[in-house]
Amino acid sequence: AKGTAKPEANRLDVSLEASDLVAAATALRQARWGYLATITGVDLGKEANQIETLYHVCEGDAITTLRVKVPRTGGAVPSLQTLHPNAMFFERELMEMFGVTVTGLSDTSHFFLPDGWPDETYPLLKDTDVQAAAKQVKGSEPPEPGRQGDRFIVPVGPQHPALKEPGHFEFAVDGELVTGATVRLGYVHRGIERACEQQNYTQNLYLVERVCGICSHSHANAYVNGVEKLAGVQATPRAQAIRQLVACLERIHSHYLWLGVAAYEAGFETLLMYSWRDREIVMDILEQMTGNRVNYSASVLGGVKFDVTSAHAEAVRRGMDKIEERTRHYLHVVTSDTSFLSRARGIGVTSKEEADAMGLLGPTLRAAGVTRDVRVDAPYGSYKQFPVKAVVDSAGDLGARFKVRMEETLESVRVIRTILDGLPEGDLTVKMPRKIPAGETISRFEAPRGELLYYIKSNGTDKPERVKIRTPSICNWIFVLTKAVGSQMADVPPLLAGIDPCFSCNDRTIVINRPRHGRQVLTWEALRRQAITHTRR
């Protein structure tokens, strides 16, 4: 793109008209080149009177971005849903947040925003007063569960004992057979992308860490890696190794947490208790090293905030000895226990070709035989010095997803020991400029659930022009909706848990429905005041 600074040499930008988008995307697809990682909307402002839609297609360490500019009012682009099934979610978000019409999209209903959101009010346009719009939200009654025409609808969520976070699913059933499935998000998020435009780069680091508690370090590092590339700054080798060390620990605690939740959904409560007990080993190590168990804040712009002492290293080694022993036991259970396999084998079977076509990510993808891992395909930080082996399995069912995650845990243990044995000497931080040079970058990070992608655009000030966050869960939702159809209703909970979903990673607003008093919309500031009040009490 003319006049756009590109700090990385692995990017190819192609500017084209909306009428040529499908042809360009089809050419890439027919050449079997890459997967659609996300669609980013960028408001170019009232003066330009344009919105830029960016289609990021990734293959290995290379990224092709198809750039389409449309009018700020009345702009339209064609849907890519038939080429990339997961585009449906990206395109619905583009319509809701920027007002760009997507022609040919099969479902244009609200995905993130409440049904009562005022018309022609788009939260990510820079001149939108989000607080004023929130006050205009009108109450709307959800459809009654049960029979709708000739279909019987089983609602799951947004408040449901099987879901630890609020998401709303509707499954159409014929007896016990699922014949249709839909998903609706938008119940808990805090408008972080818009908030990033109003804070400086340092403040945003602590904001993005709170997108997800389980993947806190992943979000922080996807962000700092991108900002450091824009600034032309490289963290020291010791800092990068410590970042990788914490990332490996985070992967272990995430996989152990998932093991317990997924086993519980399949009816194995004892495995939940054991795995969460052993997960405390990693949580205690993270607390000892960083001072925190959830939002570690290990990384800062230009490096890390803490060093790994000899006492830390010894504690980590002792912990890894226990984790390896327990993980081998769990791997034996999920690959040999007869009752466990009866609830895991054959659930959500996905072929290699199907998983690739759907654009799946992380262990869900690798369990279907596709070797796609950003740490291997496009190594960042210290991954070239301390390489990781991608773990794959060809079975493509829920059992394979259990196996892949346990083997990834063992691989993380191996890498942690390697890092401790070869931890480079040197400083922990380098100096970062307060103002970041104008430009844009795409930062990819392999989170425990799969590839995490940050698009960051700088305008030369101390605040970013745009921060787009695409988490792996939104790419894997298409798997749940596709595989639920044709399954037994009893298989839906383990099928849903199998992708390790994160709802808070994707949601965009906070809406509380109070039927007796109408619908109340709470802003972030209102929630903060409530939290302070409750704390004082």
Side-chain angles (χ1 to χ4, degrees):
K2 186 177 180 180
T4 301
K6 299 185 290 296
E8 56 272 2
N10 62 327
R11 290 266 306 281
L12 172 64
D13 285 3
V14 181
S15 297
L16 42 80
E17 299 295 327
S19 57
D20 296 324
L21 176 62
V22 173
T26 301
L28 289 173
R29 197 66 183 158
Q30 289 178 344
R32 302 183 67 84
W33 197 94
Y35 58 98
L36 181 64
T38 193
I39 301 172
T40 301
V42 180
D43 181 11
L44 300 183
K46 276 190 172 181
E47 292 185 3
N49 196 30
Q50 287 181 319
I51 291 174
E52 192 171 37
T53 58
L54 310 177
Y55 297 77
H56 307 299
V57 183
C58 300
E59 175 65 22
D61 66 344
I63 303 172
T64 294
T65 299
L66 305 178
R67 294 177 175 270
V68 178
K69 291 182 180 179
V70 297
R72 206 163 180 263
T73 303
V77 294
S79 174
L80 299 184
Q81 182 182 348
T82 55
L83 290 171
H84 303 279
N86 62 356
M88 172 179 65
F89 302 126
F90 306 146
E91 290 168 346
R92 288 169 71 182
E93 183 179 9
L94 185 67
M95 292 181 68
E96 285 187 304
M97 299 299 166
F98 291 92
V100 176
T101 299
V102 181
T103 59
L105 185 59
S106 62
D107 185 356
T108 59
S109 63
H110 280 218
F111 187 47
F112 290 121
L113 297 178
D115 291 326
W117 188 264
D119 295 335
E120 299 183 2
T121 303
Y122 307 108
L124 288 183
L125 293 184
K126 294 189 178 298
D127 56 349
T128 297
D129 188 337
V130 179
Q131 292 188 355
K135 294 177 182 178
Q136 301 176 37
V137 175
K138 301 176 182 178
S140 57
E141 293 298 324
E144 290 294 328
R147 187 167 296 280
Q148 295 181 11
D150 60 348
R151 303 195 309 162
F152 192 86
I153 305 297
V154 178
V156 178
Q159 309 301 329
H160 191 277
L163 299 176
K164 304 304 182 290
E165 298 174 277
H168 183 66
F169 298 84
E170 289 186 352
F171 298 99
V173 296
D174 182 1
E176 288 295 317
L177 188 68
V178 178
T179 59
T182 62
V183 60
R184 178 71 181 275
L185 305 177
Y187 293 92
V188 298
H189 206 58
R190 293 118 317 178
I192 284 180
E193 289 185 10
R194 179 66 183 266
C196 282
E197 300 173 7
Q198 303 163 6
Q199 315 293 327
N200 64 43
Y201 285 97
T202 300
Q203 292 170 326
N204 284 335
L205 173 58
Y206 301 98
L207 191 62
V208 300
E209 280 185 326
R210 284 150 181 82
V211 172
C212 174
I214 300 172
C215 302
S216 170
H217 186 70
S218 298
H219 281 274
N221 278 272
Y223 175 78
V224 298
N225 287 347
V227 176
E228 287 169 359
K229 280 196 292 183
L230 285 171
V233 171
Q234 188 171 12
T236 65
R238 187 174 184 86
Q240 291 178 0
I242 293 174
R243 288 177 179 177
Q244 184 178 351
L245 174 67
V246 177
C248 289
L249 291 169
E250 181 175 72
R251 181 173 297 271
I252 294 173
H253 104 69
S254 177
H255 283 354
Y256 265 44
L257 183 145
W258 172 87
L259 173 64
V261 171
Y264 178 81
E265 299 298 348
F268 298 91
E269 190 169 346
T270 302
L271 187 52
L272 164 67
M273 298 300 179
Y274 282 146
S275 61
W276 279 38
R277 176 202 65 185
D278 296 333
R279 175 174 165 265
E280 288 298 304
I281 297 171
V282 180
M283 304 307 292
D284 289 343
I285 290 173
L286 287 167
E287 183 178 18
Q288 180 180 347
M289 291 175 62
T290 70
N292 294 286
R293 290 168 56 87
V294 180
N295 298 316
Y296 331 114
S297 297
S299 296
V300 297
L301 291 172
V304 292
K305 75 169 186 180
F306 70 91
D307 201 358
V308 175
T309 65
S310 57
H312 291 154
E314 183 59 30
V316 173
R317 287 191 173 95
R318 288 197 305 268
M320 291 306 100
D321 290 341
K322 295 178 183 178
I323 288 293
E324 181 179 12
E325 177 187 353
R326 298 304 300 164
T327 303
R328 293 194 184 281
H329 169 69
Y330 295 137
L331 181 60
H332 176 71
V333 170
V334 301
T335 56
S336 64
D337 185 86
T338 303
S339 58
F340 185 90
L341 292 177
S342 67
R343 292 292 292 128
R345 279 184 177 168
I347 302 299
V349 178
T350 308
S351 68
K352 182 177 181 179
E353 293 74 20
E354 188 179 20
D356 184 55
M358 284 192 287
L360 304 183
L361 297 173
T364 305
L365 175 70
R366 293 191 286 273
V370 180
T371 308
R372 182 181 297 157
D373 189 319
V374 182
R375 298 171 299 170
V376 178
D377 300 335
Y380 47 86
S382 61
Y383 280 95
K384 289 183 179 180
Q385 183 179 357
F386 305 106
V388 174
K389 299 175 184 177
V391 177
V392 297
D393 193 277
S394 59
D397 60 2
L398 181 59
R401 292 187 273 282
F402 274 99
K403 182 181 177 183
V404 164
R405 283 184 173 88
M406 290 301 95
E407 290 183 347
E408 279 195 1
T409 300
L410 291 174
E411 175 65 5
S412 295
V413 170
R414 182 194 68 80
V415 173
I416 286 172
R417 289 169 174 159
T418 304
I419 293 174
L420 292 177
D421 291 340
L423 190 63
E425 297 294 335
D427 295 331
L428 298 179
T429 59
V430 295
K431 188 175 180 180
M432 280 286 294
R434 185 174 64 86
K435 295 183 178 180
I436 304 301
E440 66 175 27
T441 187
I442 294 173
S443 178
R444 301 158 67 198
F445 189 95
E446 190 69 26
R449 294 179 173 94
E451 179 198 73
L452 175 63
L453 186 147
Y454 270 60
Y455 167 88
I456 305 172
K457 183 177 182 179
S458 170
N459 54 17
T461 68
D462 64 343
K463 298 178 181 179
E465 180 74 13
R466 176 80 167 97
V467 176
K468 163 69 177 178
I469 306 171
R470 198 276 288 134
T471 62
S473 289
I474 199 170
C475 293
N476 290 335
W477 286 125
I478 192 68
F479 167 81
V480 176
L481 300 187
T482 302
K483 291 301 173 180
V485 177
S487 299
Q488 297 292 311
M489 189 62 198
D491 291 334
V492 168
L495 182 68
L496 174 59
I499 69 168
D500 193 8
C502 180
F503 294 87
S504 69
C505 282
N506 302 306
D507 290 342
R508 294 296 183 271
T509 59
I510 301 174
V511 178
I512 296 179
N513 191 10
R514 296 179 178 173
R516 293 184 181 180
H517 306 290
R519 177 169 286 193
Q520 178 183 1
V521 178
L522 298 182
T523 63
W524 172 251
E525 180 61 25
L527 285 176
R528 188 183 70 84
R529 288 197 301 269
Q530 282 193 9
I532 293 174
T533 302
H534 289 313
T535 301
R536 287 173 178 170
R537 288 177 182 172

